[in-house]
């Protein structure tokens, strides 16, 4: 088996790096600068326990891979890049009937998108921090283990491949739970991730608590009438807390989430359209007002396109914008 990690950012490089260093053959697919640096000097994977220099194959396109039986793809790119990635896999000759696709991404929109192209689709709840701000180097600042993951078939179930991935990830120092209702857990995780854009826009400034309550309330109100699986968020957090290691950021390093990283690195896009925007879409269908999610989607999109850094508005200013 080979693990093809498509989307070698903070999460993908951490997963691929840990799998590779513990004997699971892996390949990273990432951006040119990151891939070039890895080819030159290896992947620098920094954890509280150690700093690893990992020799791992890295390419910029699925077309550079000679596909083999037993390959597994783990999607780790932001959700706005998923559709393009799925089409690239098909164009590269990936077997749509047999190639397993694991969606290790925040939104609940990725698994349905993957089933348009691939027969075997799986969901992954990502419960760890990966920070990618410099080419060739990623931080996995979790002490005790590399982080927490839940995995299962889409839309429901568990099979022998889930069990095999669980074993390999555990060997790679991750805490893993098999979950036959993984999409209900991903729904709960998405409710938490609705605040990612708030952290990115505000850079942590202002009183975010009231805004977060409203934005998550809108999310819960929209998922239920849509018939989408959603477990109690507190239950997911309880499971994760029981197994997940503790974050230990290096001195002087800040991290306010994946959307904050996207704005910090001026990538030109964020996944707010597939987190907050998905709630806005569902609200429109079911007649539910979603002003707090809408303002986050709108402002985060404008800032990304203008390549503005985090901190344009405080949480209090955003609250007033959503109320009006």
């Amino acid at each position: 088996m080979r693990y093809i990690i498509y989307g070698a950012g903070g999460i993908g490089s951490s997963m691929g790096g840990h799998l590779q260093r513990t004997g699971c053959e892996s390949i990273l697919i990432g951006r040119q600068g990151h891939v070039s640096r890895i080819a030159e000097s290896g992947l620098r994977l920094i954890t509280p326990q150690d700093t690893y220099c990992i020799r791992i194959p890295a390419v910029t396109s699925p077309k550079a891979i000679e596909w083999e039986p037993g390959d597994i793809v783990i999607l780790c790119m932001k959700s706005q890049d998923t559709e393009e990635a799925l089409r690239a896999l098909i164009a590269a000759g990936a077997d749509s009937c047999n190639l397993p696709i694991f969606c290790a991404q925040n939104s609940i929109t990725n698994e349905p998108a993957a089933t348009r192209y691939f027969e075997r689709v799986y969901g992954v709840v990502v419960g760890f921090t990966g920070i990618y701000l410099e080419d060739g180097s990623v931080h996995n600042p979790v002490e005790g283990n590399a982080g927490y993951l839940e995995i299962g078939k889409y839309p429901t179930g568990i099979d022998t491949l889930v069990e095999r991935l669980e074993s390999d990830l555990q060997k790679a120092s991750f805490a893993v739970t098999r979950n036959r209702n993984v999409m209900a857990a991903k729904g709960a995780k998405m409710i938490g991730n609705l605040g990612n854009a708030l952290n990115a826009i505000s850079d942590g400034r202002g009183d975010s608590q009231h805004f977060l309550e409203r934005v998550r309330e809108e999310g819960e109100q929209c998922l239920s009438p849509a018939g989408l699986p959603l477990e109690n968020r507190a239950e997911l957090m309880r499971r994760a807390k029981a197994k997940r290691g503790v974050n230990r950021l290096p001195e002087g390093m800040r991290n306010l989430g994946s959307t904050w990283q996207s704005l910090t690195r001026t990538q030109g896009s964020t996944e707010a359209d597939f987190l907050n925007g998905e709630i806005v879409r569902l609200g429109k269908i079911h007649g539910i007002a979603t002003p707090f999610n809408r303002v986050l989607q709108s402002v985060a999109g404008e800032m990304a396109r203008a390549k503005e850094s985090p901190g344009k508005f405080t949480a209090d200013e955003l609250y007033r914008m959503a109320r009006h």
Side-chain angles (χ1 to χ4, degrees), residues 211-232:
F211 198 107
L212 286 173
E213 289 173 358
R214 296 295 298 273
V215 81
R216 289 169 178 165
E217 181 181 72
E218 289 177 2
E220 292 172 354
Q221 289 173 346
C222 289
L223 289 185
S224 296
L228 294 168
L230 173 65
E231 73 167 311
N232 185 285

Side-chain angles (χ1 to χ4, degrees), residues 191-205:
I191 295 298
N193 290 137
L194 294 176
N196 288 5
L198 175 61
N199 289 336
I201 296 165
S202 69
D203 199 31
R205 297 184 304 126

Side-chain angles (χ1 to χ4, degrees), residues 191 194-195 198-199 202 204-219 291-293 295-296 314-323:
I191 295 298
L194 294 176
L198 175 61
N199 289 336
S202 69
R205 297 184 304 126
D207 180 6
S208 63
Q209 186 58 41
H210 293 306
F211 198 107
L212 286 173
E213 289 173 358
R214 296 295 298 273
V215 81
R216 289 169 178 165
E217 181 181 72
E218 289 177 2
F292 286 82
N293 279 279
V295 77
L296 289 184
T314 68
D316 308 278
E317 289 170 330
L318 288 168
Y319 192 97
R320 289 192 291 270
M321 291 165 65
R323 290 294 297 269

Side-chain angles (χ1 to χ4, degrees), residues 273-284:
D273 287 341
F274 293 85
L275 292 169
N276 309 99
E278 180 65 6
I279 299 306
V280 171
R281 184 186 75 84
L282 293 172
K284 188 71 172 177

Side-chain angles (χ1 to χ4, degrees), residues 27-281:
I27 300 174
L28 301 179
I29 305 177
R31 298 177 186 272
Q32 182 64 63
H34 195 43
V35 166
S36 296
R37 188 65 62 85
I38 291 170
E40 290 170 5
S41 52
L43 172 67
R44 191 164 177 254
L45 176 56
I46 304 163
T47 76
Q49 294 81 19
D50 207 344
T51 295
Y52 304 95
C53 184
I54 301 165
R55 289 294 175 180
I56 181 171
V59 298
T60 58
S61 168
K63 290 184 178 180
I65 295 173
E66 294 187 11
W67 297 95
E68 301 175 359
D71 285 345
I72 292 173
V73 170
I74 303 179
L75 299 183
C76 296
M77 73 283 297
K78 300 293 194 303
S79 298
Q80 69 267 26
D81 298 321
T82 295
E83 191 78 21
E84 181 181 354
L86 292 166
R87 291 176 178 172
L89 286 168
I90 294 295
D95 186 342
S96 63
C97 293
N98 295 305
L99 179 68
I101 305 292
F102 284 82
C103 299
Q105 300 158 286
N106 283 334
S107 177
I108 58 172
T109 63
N110 298 290
E111 288 82 0
T115 59
R116 296 193 188 102
Y117 302 90
F118 292 92
E119 183 73 22
R120 303 175 66 190
V121 177
Y122 299 78
V124 182
V125 177
V126 177
F128 71 91
T129 300
I131 303 173
Y132 165 42
L133 297 174
E134 176 187 354
D135 286 337
S137 180
V138 294
H139 288 262
N140 172 219
V142 187
E143 188 174 74
N145 53 45
Y148 180 67
L149 297 162
E150 294 194 6
I151 54 178
K153 291 180 66 177
Y154 175 80
T156 60
I158 293 170
D159 62 10
T160 56
L161 186 57
V162 169
E163 294 169 356
R164 174 63 186 272
L165 178 57
E166 176 191 36
S167 175
D168 285 347
L169 287 170
Q170 287 175 338
K171 185 170 68 171
S173 71
F174 290 95
V176 186
T177 295
R178 282 175 280 165
N179 187 342
R180 64 178 57 256
N181 295 311
V182 70
M183 294 309 295
K186 291 201 74 168
K189 177 67 162 45
M190 179 173 165
I191 295 298
N193 290 137
L194 294 176
N196 288 5
L198 175 61
N199 289 336
I201 296 165
S202 69
D203 199 31
R205 297 184 304 126
D207 180 6
S208 63
Q209 186 58 41
H210 293 306
F211 198 107
L212 286 173
E213 289 173 358
R214 296 295 298 273
V215 81
R216 289 169 178 165
E217 181 181 72
E218 289 177 2
E220 292 172 354
Q221 289 173 346
C222 289
L223 289 185
S224 296
L228 294 168
L230 173 65
E231 73 167 311
N232 185 285
R233 184 166 166 263
E235 178 60 23
L236 173 62
M237 293 174 67
R238 183 196 63 77
R239 289 199 305 276
K241 185 178 180 180
K243 292 189 175 184
R244 188 189 187 282
V246 179
N247 263 17
R248 301 291 187 201
L249 285 176
E251 186 175 353
M253 173 172 280
R254 299 179 70 227
N255 177 51
L256 296 179
S258 57
T259 305
W260 180 88
Q261 290 183 47
S262 294
L263 289 186
T264 298
R265 293 175 54 230
T266 61
Q267 288 185 296
S269 67
T270 75
E271 60 184 343
D273 287 341
F274 293 85
L275 292 169
N276 309 99
E278 180 65 6
I279 299 306
V280 171
R281 184 186 75 84

